[in-house]
Amino acid sequence: MPQLDEQLFPSTPGKIKIERAHHHYTMNRAVHRCFTSTSTIFLWALFLVALMASYMSIQSFVDSSSRYLHHTTSRGHGGIGGLLWEKQIRSSAQIRRSNGMSVLVTGAAGFVGTHVSLALKKRGDGVVGVDNFNDYYDPSLKKARRGLLDSHNVFVVEGDINDRQLLAKLFDVVAFTHVMHLAAQAGVRYAIENPHSYVHSNVAGLVTLLEQCKSADPQPAVVWASSSSVYGLNDKSPFSESDRTDQPASLYAATKKAGEAITHTYNHIYGLSITGLRFFTVYGPWGRPDMAYFSFTRNILQGKPITVYRGKNRVDLARDFTYIDDIVKGCVASLDTSGKSTGSGGKKRGAAPYRIFNLGNTSPVTVPTLVSILEKNLKKKAKKNVLEMPGNGDVPFTHANISLARRKLGYKPTTDLPTGLRKFVKWYLSYYGYDQGKPVNFK
């Protein structure tokens, strides 16, 4: 017990005071060391945070610099901006003939866009292309067309006409005198699968482009692709520009009709010179794989059946097939005669031309006749499934009255369907390797 008491209660009266003091001193030192250590850790933590922030800032600067240097030192068609990019744009837009024009061609890697760009470039006009290379059909064909344009020093920017910053940059680099607007979501039947793509490209994209054009100084003249589809359910033949176009049979046709109304508005309010071209079933080399003549050729060569539609009462469908070279002549003539826009900086200063023309061949041919011409050129019979035309927006026939275009543009088509299809088949066999006896993997 005493030992226990001594442990709990010391025998010397001053002993507890001394030990208590010593105890408090020890505690204070421990606390002081603790706070000193904590402060040091805190300061180190602040230092590390600052170091990390500095590193991230430097890294961000390096990344930005790398992107800039990439744009200024690479040929990449997707890169927008940078010194080399601007140099390529200016070089492509350079005019090399007296009284020439500098043309922005939208949809330049498309079927018509490629041919128009080449025709303008070959005669000495400046040409800059823009295309979004979407996958509506095999993008490799569009890239092959771009390669063709590259070989003729036509620079094609990969971008969307809905990109306002891209359009502003292009117009900042080049004062375009003309715009050839051929970018669009094409096809009648695809609208049932993807209707929004038509509004995005054919309506919103058109408005975005026109907004840029009306704000430009000077304003360019605009020539754009409407479509024979706007005639819709019109049963008067041949189709004339003055015929009613308020009964579209497809969403595609409706967006093109909307385009005609929209372009008229920009002409009326802002003084933009506008020419709309109603194309009639364009065909030829480098064409679109979704078109009947193209898919028929592919299937006949592969031994696959083709579907041939008929109208009501077993009437054969007919189209005013127009060869690409004739369409190009109409496009170029439209640019040459477009007149000038009268606005400046978005303000109209006088009346400007507003025109619409049919560009067709004036000689409708039935689809069975088309097939027989292909069979002759391919030296192979087609396996045909004949069906009644579904209600998907197609019309039974098209027939262009081109008297207005002939009078105002000097437009005169010269290629009949047998001649045009023979040229197309020759290109097709060469492009897909048939003339070399190589097996081909079609997409």
Side-chain angles (χ1 to χ4, degrees):
M1 277 298 293
Q3 291 181 347
L4 181 59
D5 288 340
E6 287 179 1
Q7 291 177 0
L8 294 177
F9 305 102
S11 58
T12 308
K15 185 177 180 182
I16 187 155
K17 293 182 181 179
I18 295 172
E19 289 184 350
R20 283 179 179 172
H22 177 73
H23 176 69
H24 283 303
Y25 172 75
T26 305
M27 288 292 293
N28 287 337
R29 287 196 62 183
V31 170
H32 176 73
R33 287 174 180 171
C34 178
F35 277 104
T36 302
S37 177
T38 302
S39 300
T40 303
I41 292 173
F42 179 69
L43 289 174
W44 274 105
L46 282 178
F47 175 73
L48 289 173
V49 169
L51 189 63
M52 285 296 295
S54 299
Y55 171 78
M56 293 176 69
S57 177
I58 293 171
Q59 188 64 38
S60 176
F61 173 77
V62 171
D63 289 345
S64 298
S65 300
S66 297
R67 285 193 293 269
Y68 175 77
L69 289 172
H70 173 72
H71 290 324
T72 58
T73 59
S74 75
R75 170 71 180 174
H77 292 83
I80 305 302
L83 298 178
L84 180 57
W85 186 85
E86 291 185 11
K87 182 179 179 181
Q88 290 169 324
I89 295 295
R90 290 193 179 95
S91 176
S92 190
Q94 187 174 351
I95 300 170
R96 303 182 185 277
R97 69 179 180 96
S98 60
N99 300 317
M101 58 186 73
S102 181
V103 188
L104 175 66
V105 180
T106 70
F111 173 32
V112 179
T114 295
H115 284 274
V116 171
S117 296
L118 289 173
L120 293 171
K121 194 69 173 181
K122 285 178 180 178
R123 73 174 195 171
D125 292 316
V127 182
V128 176
V130 61
D131 201 292
N132 69 356
F133 293 89
N134 67 27
D135 59 357
Y136 168 61
Y137 60 81
D138 183 10
S140 69
L141 180 57
K142 300 177 184 180
K143 292 176 182 177
R145 296 189 193 119
R146 181 172 66 185
L148 180 63
L149 293 172
D150 274 343
S151 69
H152 289 80
N153 298 315
V154 176
F155 186 73
V156 180
V157 178
E158 185 167 350
D160 196 291
I161 56 171
N162 281 286
D163 187 339
R164 289 176 290 178
Q165 290 183 332
L166 170 60
L167 293 180
K169 183 65 176 177
L170 288 170
F171 275 81
D172 182 55
V173 175
V174 177
F176 294 106
T177 61
H178 296 74
V179 171
M180 186 78 218
H181 178 44
L182 297 168
Q185 177 57 65
V188 170
R189 299 169 191 169
Y190 183 62
I192 295 176
E193 299 177 35
N194 190 1
H196 297 291
S197 66
Y198 288 80
V199 178
H200 175 79
S201 295
N202 302 356
V203 179
L206 175 62
V207 170
T208 303
L209 179 64
L210 292 175
E211 278 292 303
Q212 179 60 51
C213 291
K214 63 98 170 174
S215 300
D217 191 7
Q219 291 177 335
V222 179
V223 179
W224 74 288
S226 183
S227 170
S228 61
S229 296
V230 299
Y231 291 108
L233 301 179
N234 175 41
D235 56 5
K236 175 181 169 293
S237 182
F239 301 162
S240 300
E241 290 88 347
S242 58
D243 290 347
R244 64 184 297 184
T245 54
D246 58 352
Q247 295 178 301
S250 67
L251 180 61
Y252 169 70
T255 60
K256 287 298 185 178
K257 176 59 181 176
E260 293 186 353
I262 290 167
T263 52
H264 185 275
T265 302
Y266 276 80
N267 166 265
H268 174 68
I269 297 177
Y270 302 111
L272 281 177
S273 168
I274 301 287
T275 302
L277 303 176
R278 294 172 177 171
F279 295 157
F280 281 72
T281 317
V282 189
Y283 73 100
W286 296 99
R288 280 176 24 216
D290 63 312
M291 297 289 285
Y293 73 94
F294 201 115
S295 62
F296 285 174
T297 300
R298 178 179 62 240
N299 285 5
I300 291 171
L301 287 169
Q302 293 181 336
K304 296 179 180 179
I306 65 173
T307 300
V308 178
Y309 291 113
R310 280 180 174 168
K312 294 180 180 179
N313 301 318
R314 300 177 65 82
V315 175
D316 291 328
L317 304 186
R319 293 288 181 270
D320 198 345
F321 294 101
T322 312
Y323 190 63
I324 183 62
D325 288 359
D326 292 325
I327 289 292
V328 169
K329 291 174 185 176
C331 290
V332 173
S334 297
L335 289 168
D336 288 341
T337 61
S338 62
K340 293 186 177 181
S341 295
T342 61
S344 177
K347 294 183 179 180
K348 180 180 178 180
R349 302 185 186 279
Y354 182 83
R355 312 179 299 172
I356 292 180
F357 297 111
N358 287 338
L359 293 186
N361 195 55
T362 74
S363 302
V365 176
T366 65
V367 175
T369 301
L370 166 76
V371 174
S372 66
I373 295 172
L374 286 174
E375 289 175 326
K376 181 179 178 181
N377 282 279
L378 296 170
K379 298 179 175 59
K380 192 171 183 178
K381 297 295 287 185
K383 300 175 182 178
K384 290 172 276 189
N385 292 330
V386 181
L387 301 175
E388 184 174 339
M389 183 177 67
N392 57 8
D394 268 330
V395 293
F397 72 95
T398 60
H399 185 186
N401 178 346
I402 61 170
S403 58
L404 183 62
R406 183 182 290 116
R407 187 166 67 252
K408 297 293 185 180
L409 304 178
Y411 175 71
K412 185 180 180 182
T414 59
T415 307
D416 60 16
L417 188 60
T419 302
L421 285 179
R422 184 169 65 251
K423 293 179 179 180
F424 165 73
V425 168
K426 182 179 179 180
W427 167 83
Y428 188 98
L429 295 177
S430 173
Y431 181 78
Y432 288 105
Y434 277 90
D435 57 353
Q436 301 173 20
K438 296 179 180 178
V440 179
N441 180 26
F442 289 94
K443 295 184 179 180

